[in-house]
Amino acid sequence: MTTRTFAQEIQSGLDVALASDPTVLVFGLGVPDPKGVFGTTSDLQEKYGDKRVFDMPTSENAMTGIAIGASLGGFKPVLTHQRLDFALLSMDQLVNNAAKWHFMYGGQRSVPITIRMILGRGWGQGPTHSQNLQSWFAHIPGLKVVMPAMASDAKELLLASIFDPNPVIFLEHRWLHNMQTETDAPATNNRAPLGKAKVLQTGDAITIVAMSYMTIEALHAINHLEKQGVACDLIDLRTVSPIDWPTIEKSVRKTGKLLVLDTGFKQLGIAGEIMAHITETCWADLSVAPARLTAPDFPESTSPALTKDYHVRAEHIVKQVGHMIGKDCSGDQLADQRASSMHDVPGAWFTGPF
Amino acid sequence: MNSDLIKNLSYSMRRIRTVEETIAERYSEQQMRCPTHLSSGQEAVSAAVGTVLRPTDLAVSGHRAHAHYLAKGGNLNAMIAEIYGRVTGCARGKGGSMHLIDESIGFMGSTAIVGGTVPVGVGLAYSLMMKGTDNIACIFLGDAVIETGAFYESLNFAILKKLPVLFVCENNQYSVYSPLSVRQITSRPIHERIAGLGIDTSHGYGNDVLGVHSTVSQAVARIRSGNGPAFVEFDTYRWREHCGPNYDNDLGYRPDDMIEKWTKEDPVARFDAHTLAEGLMARADIDAQQRDIDAEVTAAFDFALNSDFPPIEEAGQHIFADKPSEDLQ
C-alpha cells in the first residue's frame, strides 16, 4: 500500500485513460507546464506526445467547442480549467452545444467530453477565483456534474466521467488536492458509477448530505458528534447531477431529519434543490424542518478579515445538528484544534499561492 | 470545362432555389412551425463548395443552412420533414430548420447561435488531422460571425495547429436588419482583415458560381496538401427577409437600388445565361433539370406531410446517451 494524494489520483486517472484508449485527449491552460495543474497533469505530455496532451490558447469558449467537435469526430477530450471562473467564458458551448447535441439531433450522436474545473475557497481567492457554481451546470439537462470528495473516489469518478458517452463537468475542490488515500494498484481502470452517492457514516440521529469539500468538514463534525453520543448518516453525493434520490430518501425515512451542506451560494443552489425534493417526497417522515449550511449570498472577499465568517466549518455543522436534534452539542473544541492555522486554509501546510 | 461540373452546379443551384421558394410559397399554411431562414439569392456559394467537397469531408453551418445541407448532399426528404416537425425529419423533429444534420454525407450539424459551430468545425478538423486522412472540415459562416469571439479563438487554434479546415464566409451584408457598416469597419474588407491573422485567404464574387468553384477548388487543394486552414469570403445577397417567407423591401433598411442590383445579379439566371450563350447547356437541358427537381421537391413535401409526428414520449428522450456513438465512416 502506498499513500497517494487526491491530485496524484487525478493524474493517475488521466494516465490510465490515455494509456487504455488512444482517442483520449487531455488539454487545457498549463497542462504540460512545470506545475502541471497542481500536479494533476504532470508527465503526461512526455508520455503521450503533444498531439494528445497539450497546452492551449486562452480561448475557453472555442476550446470547449473544439473539444465538442473532436468528440463528434471520435475522440474523448478532457479539458481542464485551473479555475471554474475561467470556464464561465465557455457557457455558450457548454449549454447550447455540448448539452444539446444529443437531444437536438434526435439522439444521433453523443458528446463524450469531460470538463475539469477547479474551484475553491479561502486564501485570498476573492470574488472571481472562488465561485462554486455547480448549480449552474446541474440546472442544464444534458450535463452530468461530478463533485468528488474522497481521494479514494477521485480516480474512479474521473475515469467514469471520461468514458461516459455524455458531457461531464468534473469539479475538483482545491482544498481536496492534498487529501490522502491508501492504494495498492495505481494502474487500475476501475470506474465508479455516476449518479450514485456513497453512505460514508451511518447513524439514526440525522441525515447529512454533502458534496466535495463539505464532506470533509462533515466527517470532522460527525467524528466530534460521536464522542457526544450522536450518530449521523453522512451521504457524500459524488454526483450532483443526476442526484441519487433513492439513497437520500431512504436515509431521511430512517432519521426524519435532513441537513444539506453545499460549497455554493445559498440562493437556488443544490442544497435548496435537495431540501425541496425531500420536502415533496418525504414530508410525512420529517420530524423537523430541513436545513442547509452554504456559502452566504454574497461573493467571497479577498482579505482574511472579511472571510472570517464566510466558510462553513465543522463546528457550524455540529451546532446545527445539535439544534435540529434538540441537544446542546458543542463544536468549540473543533475550532480550538484549528487555532494553529488560519480560517482561510485547509491546514497550516497550505501556504498558497493557490 | 468539365460538362458534368456545369450540369452539377446548374442542378444544385436550381434545386436549392426551388426548395427555398417552395418553402416560401407554402409557409403560410402554418404547417412549417419553426423559424426558417431562406437562402434564395445565395445559391452559388453553396453549390460550388458542395461540388468541391467529398462525401467524406465534414461540414457544419449556422441558422441559414438549407443550401449548405442540400449542396453537401443532405437528404431532401429528411430536411423538409424536419421543418414540418415530423419523426422522419433529420433530427426527429427536435431541431427544425436551424438544426439540420445528415452524417451519412458528412453534414455534421447546423445550430442557431451565430458562431456556435465554428469551434465545432475546428474540433472536427482536429479529429481528421489525428486520423491522418486528407479529408477536410468546412465551416459555413456569415458576415456576423466575423464579430464573434468564438470565431477568432477558433481561427487562431486552426492556424496554430495547421488544421485541415476551410472557413467559407458568405457576406450578404446584413445581420437581420443591421448593415455591415454599423457592425464592422468597412474601409478594409473582411478577407483583408482576416489575412492579417496569418491564414491563407481568398475573396470572390459570390454570385458567380464558376468563380466561387475555382477559388474554393484551389483553397481546398492547398488544405488537402497539408498547407493548413484557408478562409474564403464571397459577396452575395439574400433576397427575402432575414427569417420567414416574405420580401421585406418595404421596411427600407436596404436601399432600393441595392435590391435591384442584386436581384438582377440572380446567380441562377446568371449561370443559365452563361451556359446557354457558351453552348454548355441547351434550354431543353435546363427545362429537364427543372422538371426533375419539381418532381423531387413535390415528393419531398408529400413525404413530409404524410409522415407521422414524433410520439409524445420522445419529448423527454435523448437527454443522455446510454452508449458511445459509432465512429464516423
Side-chain angles (χ1 to χ4, degrees):
Chain A
M1 298 287 273
T2 51
T3 302
R4 293 171 57 79
T5 65
F6 186 108
Q8 287 171 326
E9 286 293 277
I10 295 291
Q11 194 272 356
S12 175
L14 294 171
D15 192 357
V16 167
L18 285 158
S20 65
D21 184 339
T23 69
V24 173
L25 309 174
V26 174
F27 54 94
L29 282 168
V31 158
D33 77 13
K35 294 284 180 76
V37 191
F38 315 117
T40 60
T41 56
S42 300
D43 306 326
L44 297 174
Q45 190 177 58
E46 291 76 6
K47 218 164 162 181
Y48 300 101
D50 62 6
K51 289 211 161 38
R52 295 184 61 202
V53 179
F54 51 92
D55 212 328
M56 70 176 208
T58 312
S59 306
E60 287 84 358
N61 192 36
M63 291 311 299
T64 305
I66 286 163
I68 294 165
S71 81
L72 300 175
F75 288 81
K76 299 180 187 71
V78 183
L79 171 55
T80 298
H81 300 285
Q82 305 216 16
R83 281 287 179 277
L84 175 146
D85 316 71
F86 306 157
L88 301 187
L89 289 157
S90 65
M91 289 306 279
D92 170 46
Q93 287 299 324
L94 284 176
V95 175
N96 286 319
N97 279 348
K100 301 292 189 299
W101 208 272
H102 190 65
F103 179 86
M104 72 186 172
Y105 299 116
Q108 286 182 59
R109 185 162 297 277
S110 69
V111 175
I113 62 171
T114 303
I115 315 284
R116 293 176 57 211
M117 300 180 195
I118 292 162
L119 40 75
R121 74 183 205 186
W123 208 91
Q125 301 306 314
T128 62
H129 269 42
S130 65
Q131 297 170 90
N132 285 248
L133 299 178
Q134 52 270 22
S135 63
W136 282 35
F137 307 108
H139 187 65
I140 305 301
L143 298 178
K144 295 187 181 182
V145 185
V146 177
M147 292 186 83
M150 308 303 288
S152 53
D153 277 343
K155 181 178 165 184
E156 294 190 4
L157 285 168
L158 179 60
L159 283 165
S161 301
I162 294 170
F163 292 102
D164 191 280
N166 301 287
V168 180
I169 310 297
F170 191 88
L171 302 177
E172 294 167 34
H173 200 289
R174 178 69 187 113
W175 282 22
L176 295 172
H177 275 146
N178 277 46
M179 299 288 166
Q180 294 179 335
T181 183
E182 298 292 322
T183 177
D184 56 359
T188 52
N189 195 350
N190 297 335
R191 298 168 196 174
L194 299 187
K196 289 294 286 182
K198 206 175 205 177
V199 180
L200 296 184
Q201 299 280 332
T202 54
D204 295 331
I206 190 169
T207 300
I208 301 176
V209 177
M211 88 277 283
S212 185
Y213 180 71
M214 287 315 301
T215 300
I216 307 301
E217 292 289 346
L219 282 167
H220 288 303
I222 286 168
N223 187 34
H224 192 70
L225 285 163
E226 262 176 5
K227 292 177 193 156
Q228 299 177 44
V230 178
C232 312
D233 264 9
L234 173 60
I235 297 170
D236 177 26
L237 282 171
R238 303 205 298 176
T239 306
V240 299
S241 183
I243 290 174
D244 181 359
W245 296 119
T247 297
I248 302 173
E249 288 168 7
K250 188 179 167 198
S251 172
V252 171
R253 293 206 166 98
K254 178 181 74 173
T255 65
K257 299 180 183 66
L258 173 68
L259 172 62
V260 191
L261 311 177
D262 194 335
T263 62
F265 299 116
K266 184 174 186 180
Q267 180 168 295
L268 297 168
I270 303 289
E273 179 62 28
I274 292 173
M275 290 163 73
H277 178 99
I278 292 301
T279 305
E280 285 171 341
T281 57
C282 302
W283 174 252
D285 302 290
L286 290 168
S287 60
V288 58
R292 59 189 145 170
L293 291 172
T294 70
D297 283 327
F298 52 86
E300 181 166 356
S301 297
T302 302
S303 168
L306 297 175
T307 57
K308 272 200 166 57
D309 301 324
Y310 195 87
H311 304 133
V312 175
R313 310 287 320 226
E315 56 266 31
H316 305 127
I317 300 167
V318 169
K319 199 174 165 197
Q320 179 66 34
V321 168
H323 176 70
M324 292 175 76
I325 65 174
K327 188 171 172 175
D328 194 17
C329 296
S330 167
D332 294 347
Q333 280 173 292
L334 284 165
D336 293 344
Q337 282 167 19
R338 251 199 326 270
S340 60
S341 68
M342 288 277 285
H343 69 277
D344 62 349
V345 288
W349 54 268
F350 192 94
T351 56
F354 287 136
Chain B
M1 184 59 67
N2 177 326
S3 67
D4 281 345
L5 174 63
I6 296 293
K7 280 182 195 148
N8 289 342
L9 292 171
S10 174
Y11 189 90
S12 181
M13 281 200 292
R14 204 178 314 284
R15 183 162 172 265
I16 294 164
R17 170 70 54 85
T18 306
V19 170
E20 298 293 67
E21 293 301 300
T22 309
I23 291 170
E25 195 180 301
R26 302 184 68 162
Y27 201 73
S28 64
E29 293 167 9
Q30 287 292 309
Q31 297 289 311
M32 292 178 264
R33 304 177 74 85
C34 63
T36 300
H37 305 76
L38 301 176
S39 299
S40 295
Q42 301 187 195
E43 295 87 351
V45 175
S46 297
V49 174
T51 57
V52 174
L53 296 180
R54 306 166 176 163
T56 48
D57 291 327
L58 306 177
V60 292
S61 179
H63 57 281
R64 194 179 307 283
H66 296 182
H68 308 143
Y69 169 98
L70 291 171
K72 184 74 173 70
N75 184 294
L76 175 62
N77 285 0
M79 178 181 118
I80 300 299
E82 185 60 35
I83 299 171
Y84 275 89
R86 306 301 165 120
V87 72
T88 51
C90 59
R92 300 183 72 81
K94 286 277 176 72
S97 162
M98 294 193 286
H99 299 97
L100 301 179
I101 186 168
D102 188 343
E103 292 189 343
S104 70
I105 47 77
F107 194 86
M108 297 301 290
S110 65
T111 71
I113 311 298
V114 170
T117 52
V118 176
V120 174
V122 172
L124 286 165
Y126 198 86
S127 75
L128 294 171
M129 181 271 287
M130 291 292 284
K131 288 174 179 175
T133 70
D134 69 344
N135 292 324
I136 72 164
C138 172
I139 301 168
F140 291 102
L141 52 104
D143 45 277
V145 171
I146 307 300
E147 296 145 29
T148 68
F151 169 73
Y152 291 96
E153 293 183 356
S154 304
L155 201 61
N156 175 59
F157 187 77
I159 297 165
L160 178 73
K161 301 287 181 184
K162 280 187 89 171
L163 297 181
V165 54
L166 174 70
F167 298 84
V168 178
C169 176
E170 286 174 273
N171 181 355
N172 72 10
Q173 308 166 64
Y174 284 82
S175 177
V176 192
Y177 305 121
S178 304
L180 202 63
S181 60
V182 302
R183 298 180 285 119
Q184 304 176 22
I185 60 160
T186 48
S187 54
R188 183 180 288 189
I190 288 172
H191 62 274
E192 281 187 18
R193 282 177 269 143
I194 300 306
L197 298 171
I199 184 171
D200 177 327
T201 307
S202 318
H203 172 242
Y205 180 46
N207 284 17
D208 169 16
V209 72
L210 287 177
V212 175
H213 184 270
S214 168
T215 301
V216 170
S217 297
Q218 292 167 47
V220 167
R222 291 193 295 271
I223 297 170
R224 289 200 205 285
S225 69
N227 198 46
F231 177 94
V232 292
E233 180 195 1
F234 297 106
D235 301 312
T236 186
Y237 203 71
R238 87 174 130 76
W239 283 3
R240 293 179 180 271
E241 59 193 336
H242 159 69
C243 178
N246 304 306
Y247 291 99
D248 62 357
N249 300 344
D250 56 307
L251 295 180
Y253 68 99
R254 302 195 290 191
D256 289 342
D257 56 345
M258 178 194 233
I259 295 167
E260 195 181 332
K261 169 183 170 285
W262 283 96
T263 307
K264 276 188 194 151
E265 290 287 299
D266 175 353
V268 181
R270 202 174 180 278
F271 192 53
D272 282 347
H274 172 76
T275 56
L276 289 168
E278 298 291 321
L280 299 167
M281 287 181 70
R283 173 56 64 185
D285 299 330
I286 291 170
D287 292 344
Q289 278 193 352
Q290 190 64 59
R291 276 196 303 277
D292 289 351
I293 290 165
D294 287 343
E296 189 197 2
V297 172
T298 301
F301 278 78
D302 287 346
F303 170 82
L305 284 163
N306 289 320
S307 291
D308 289 332
F309 283 105
I312 188 67
E313 297 75 44
E314 291 202 10
Q317 289 176 4
H318 310 125
I319 307 293
F320 289 118
D322 303 330
K323 56 179 184 0
S325 306
E326 300 278 316
D327 200 6
L328 295 169
Q329 292 308 300

